[in-house]
Amino acid sequence: MSRSIKYIQTDVNGAAEGQRRRVAIIGAGLVGSLAALNFARMGNDVHLYEYREDIRTAELVQGRSINLALSQRGRKALAAVGLEEQVLATAIPMRGRMLHNVRGRTSIVLYDPCTKQCLYSVGRKQLNEVLLNACDAFPNISCHFEHKLTTANIREGQMQFKVAHEEQLISTSADLVVGCDGAFSSLRQQLVRTPGFNYSQEYIATGYLELCIPAKNGEFQMPPNYLHIWPRDSFMMIALPNQDKSFTVTLSMPFEVFAQLKTHQQLLDFFRQHYMDALPLIGEEQLIKDFFKTRPQHLLSVKCKPYHFADKALILGDAAHAMVPYYGQGMNAGMEDVTLLTSILNEQLPLDEALAKFTESRWQDAFAICDLAMYNYVEMRDLTKRLSFRCRKWLDTTLFRLFPRQWVPLYNSVSFSSMPYSQCIANRQWQDRLLHKTLSFSLLASCLVAGAIYARRLR
Ligand SMILES: Cc1cc2nc3c(=O)[nH]c(=O)nc-3n(C[C@H](O)[C@H](O)[C@H](O)COP(=O)(O)OP(=O)(O)OC[C@H]3O[C@@H](n4cnc5c(N)ncnc54)[C@H](O)[C@@H]3O)c2cc1C
Ligand SMILES: *[C@@H]1O[C@H](CO)[C@@H](O)[C@H](O)[C@H]1NC(C)=O
Ligand SMILES: *[C@@H]1O[C@H](CO)[C@@H](O)[C@H](O)[C@H]1NC(C)=O
């Protein structure tokens, strides 16, 4: 597995010629494999260590491989390594939200009626495969699967890995250790112990579980080009289309509600009551099987700062800023980390300064998207049903249509632009102030009427 490793003398100060470093990347997920490509392109020797077996040859991926919404920030990062087209070729565009009410009626809220931008549903496994195949094409990236980081001495750049089927831990070292090892990052655990490192985590009381709406007669059972949402106050369900014409369904609800569904009958009654239209699509038997097969998963939000330690260690992606999944930005934000880092590293500053600059340029935006994701957790399950939300949405869309440059709605600036996340929030606050100040009562009233008509039409 682990090939013998050449040690390359590097210039500690890191300028020009000395740029060539031995970089260890922990985690070959979406962010780690993308980071590996970028470090290799900059001429470093990259070692990519992944706990799991190679996702490309792994026989069984537990559960169904989930799909993700890819938007502007992720696309931009993929484009930078020449992979955007390849990824989009098998992705499914989602032009808006399709809302399903309790009676099974649907209505559509387009993401961007003006410039027609959309989200793309991509399979996690397929995307990871594209990235890993690109890594294989680089002579200077070595992949080490089934290597689990157990301990690291970040001051010395020393790491120890547990290798599958082997008794003894293996030790290795690197000039720079980059943790892309996800929400429960082992490398972050080492950083937590360094003085001055701020860290907070929050579990929400909601868990999620994956279900599936299979293809029927080789066709999608619902319109494929939408992100389907069943908003139900304290809980909700969403579905994203897959390449094989199935949908991956994510049921999200408080753990206490999950706990109440103990028997097959209770589960079916619950679905008949809340997800009437989805039940026959999932199929009763399949629902029972999938629902009781696994426990609901926990969701976690993590904020920390700084993201680096001297010129020795760095964390990116979920390791640095795990968030609840309700804005569909976790992967996109993680990939944007890599875009930003690469542009800073290309400035050829001494490495410690470059890493410090990365933390300084990133933390506000990372905190902002964690907050936005938490906010959307409320919006998606609750507000999407409310008239005030639809009215605001309608106003946003109308103003966006009239002033496409000046008035970009929050969701659009987050998903379809590379505006820094913190600026997206500031922009929204500016819009709110302006609306409150300048909207006369008559305009508000007419908007309400129009909103009501619109909402009725959709119902
Ligand atoms: C239900 C759900 C839906 C989501 N939907 C979206 C979406 O629509 N759009 C979006 O942008 N984001 C979405 N996300 C977020 C997205 O999944 C994450 O932000 C993204 O996977 C982060 O990538 P990562 O590479 O940082 O971490 P991960 O994908 O978690 O990868 C970490 C890798 O590190 C490996 N690893 C862990 N520990 C070690 C160790 N000690 N040693 C070696 N390797 C290790 C793991 O095996 C894994 O391969 C969703 C998340 C969830 C839970
Ligand atoms: C890869 O590494 C070899 C030596 O290990 C070096 O000669 C070569 O220039 C490197 N390639 C790139 C693209 O950095
Ligand atoms: C950690 O948090 C404290 C209190 O909010 C703050 O004063 C300090 O600057 C933070 N440290 C870093 C590295 O951000």
Side-chain angles (χ1 to χ4, degrees):
M1 259 292 142
S2 108
R3 291 161 227 170
S4 74
I5 288 156
K6 277 176 292 182
Y7 284 78
I8 283 153
Q9 213 48 47
T10 54
D11 170 1
V12 214
N13 294 322
E17 281 297 295
Q19 278 287 320
R20 182 178 187 80
R21 290 189 183 81
R22 194 180 136 81
V23 178
I25 295 179
I26 316 301
L30 304 174
V31 175
S33 48
L34 179 69
L37 287 173
N38 281 270
F39 274 105
R41 285 160 67 102
M42 287 184 275
N44 299 287
D45 283 294
V46 179
H47 291 269
L48 185 54
Y49 298 95
E50 167 57 46
Y51 165 41
R52 288 181 292 209
E53 57 188 317
D54 190 338
I55 196 168
R56 293 165 297 182
T57 50
E59 284 237 338
L60 246 170
V61 182
Q62 312 106 313
R64 279 184 191 81
S65 76
I66 67 166
N67 45 24
L68 303 141
L70 174 70
S71 52
Q72 176 56 28
R73 295 164 207 266
R75 287 175 61 181
K76 188 173 168 191
L78 290 168
V81 291
L83 295 176
E84 187 193 17
E85 275 181 32
Q86 195 185 337
V87 170
L88 289 190
T90 58
I92 300 174
M94 298 183 291
R95 307 189 195 291
R97 297 165 166 168
M98 185 174 274
L99 305 174
H100 297 244
N101 77 10
V102 225
R103 280 164 290 154
R105 289 269 192 85
T106 60
S107 58
I108 291 169
V109 184
L110 292 177
Y111 288 125
D112 181 6
C114 309
T115 50
K116 309 254 183 293
Q117 301 195 77
C118 52
L119 303 177
Y120 288 86
S121 175
V122 295
R124 181 187 294 275
K125 183 172 190 280
Q126 285 89 328
L127 180 53
N128 213 160
E129 282 176 358
V130 167
L131 288 162
L132 286 172
N133 287 341
C135 285
D136 277 352
F138 264 96
N140 294 10
I141 302 179
S142 319
C143 295
H144 311 269
F145 294 101
E146 301 186 60
H147 277 56
K148 180 182 186 182
L149 181 75
T150 54
T151 52
N153 178 339
I154 51 176
R155 282 189 173 77
E156 308 292 330
Q158 301 282 348
M159 296 156 281
Q160 294 195 308
F161 292 90
K162 170 82 184 79
V163 183
H165 322 297
E166 279 180 37
E167 281 296 310
Q168 243 160 9
L169 296 179
I170 67 150
S171 298
T172 181
S173 70
D175 303 311
L176 174 64
V177 184
V178 184
C180 302
D181 47 349
F184 301 96
S185 170
S186 300
L187 190 65
R188 188 183 63 223
Q189 271 176 25
Q190 307 295 321
L191 288 173
V192 167
R193 296 180 194 170
T194 61
F197 187 83
N198 284 352
Y199 173 72
S200 71
Q201 73 173 46
E202 193 182 331
Y203 277 100
I204 56 173
T206 290
Y208 76 95
L209 193 141
E210 274 181 15
L211 303 167
C212 178
I213 293 181
K216 192 174 179 186
N217 305 326
E219 272 312 314
F220 283 109
Q221 294 202 66
M222 301 188 293
N225 296 115
Y226 299 97
L227 196 159
H228 293 263
I229 308 182
W230 291 257
R232 300 288 182 268
D233 294 324
S234 72
F235 43 92
M236 70 165 182
M237 199 163 80
I238 65 167
L240 271 71
N242 290 315
Q243 196 65 32
D244 67 0
K245 314 224 162 158
S246 64
F247 287 85
T248 300
V249 180
T250 308
L251 175 64
S252 215
M253 41 188 207
F255 285 102
E256 55 187 48
V257 180
F258 273 112
Q260 285 161 13
L261 304 178
K262 291 197 197 77
T263 66
H264 295 185
Q265 197 54 47
Q266 282 168 339
L267 175 65
L268 291 177
D269 287 345
F270 180 81
F271 264 73
R272 279 185 198 119
Q273 185 184 348
H274 297 288
Y275 304 114
M276 194 174 89
D277 60 331
L279 182 57
L281 307 183
I282 299 171
E284 297 191 357
E285 222 168 288
Q286 196 61 40
L287 172 67
I288 290 168
K289 203 170 144 215
D290 290 348
F291 187 92
F292 292 108
K293 189 173 60 189
T294 51
R295 288 164 184 275
Q297 306 287 302
H298 287 269
L299 291 165
L300 165 78
S301 182
V302 169
K303 286 181 184 172
C304 64
K305 181 182 168 216
Y307 301 128
H308 71 289
F309 177 82
D311 61 352
K312 289 291 182 194
L314 178 69
I315 47 176
L316 299 173
D318 276 16
H321 46 66
M323 62 195 75
V324 295
Y326 302 102
Y327 226 111
Q329 282 293 311
M331 162 190 67
N332 286 285
M335 290 183 159
E336 190 176 56
D337 289 351
V338 179
T339 306
L340 175 68
L341 177 67
T342 304
S343 86
I344 291 174
L345 290 175
N346 279 331
E347 292 170 15
Q348 316 263 321
L349 300 167
L351 188 57
D352 55 347
E353 285 178 31
L355 300 187
K357 186 170 178 183
F358 174 77
T359 290
E360 217 30 67
S361 326
R362 195 55 175 159
W363 73 271
Q364 273 133 326
D365 294 320
F367 284 29
I369 190 58
C370 285
D371 292 341
L372 278 173
M374 203 60 99
Y375 168 79
N376 224 37
Y377 165 50
V378 179
E379 171 173 311
M380 278 178 86
R381 61 184 187 178
D382 184 13
L383 298 183
T384 34
K385 295 197 314 182
R386 281 205 207 144
L387 184 61
S388 58
F389 171 80
R390 293 231 179 136
C391 176
R392 172 66 205 245
K393 187 101 200 157
W394 175 84
L395 245 182
D396 259 348
T397 309
T398 308
L399 287 166
F400 186 28
R401 235 176 224 164
L402 293 172
F403 312 106
R405 297 239 171 107
Q406 292 79 4
W407 194 279
V408 182
L410 177 63
Y411 190 85
N412 298 58
S413 63
V414 168
S415 303
F416 305 126
S417 87
S418 294
M419 182 189 285
Y421 290 122
S422 55
Q423 208 180 309
C424 297
I425 295 184
N427 192 41
R428 167 68 176 222
Q429 287 165 345
W430 165 83
Q431 292 173 344
D432 283 346
R433 279 198 303 274
L434 195 74
L435 279 184
H436 286 131
K437 262 193 218 149
T438 59
L439 271 186
S440 67
F441 279 113
S442 66
L443 184 53
L444 246 182
S446 57
C447 148
L448 277 172
V449 171
I453 294 171
Y454 180 62
R456 269 191 64 182
R457 215 170 31 137
L458 291 176
R459 205 166 290 146

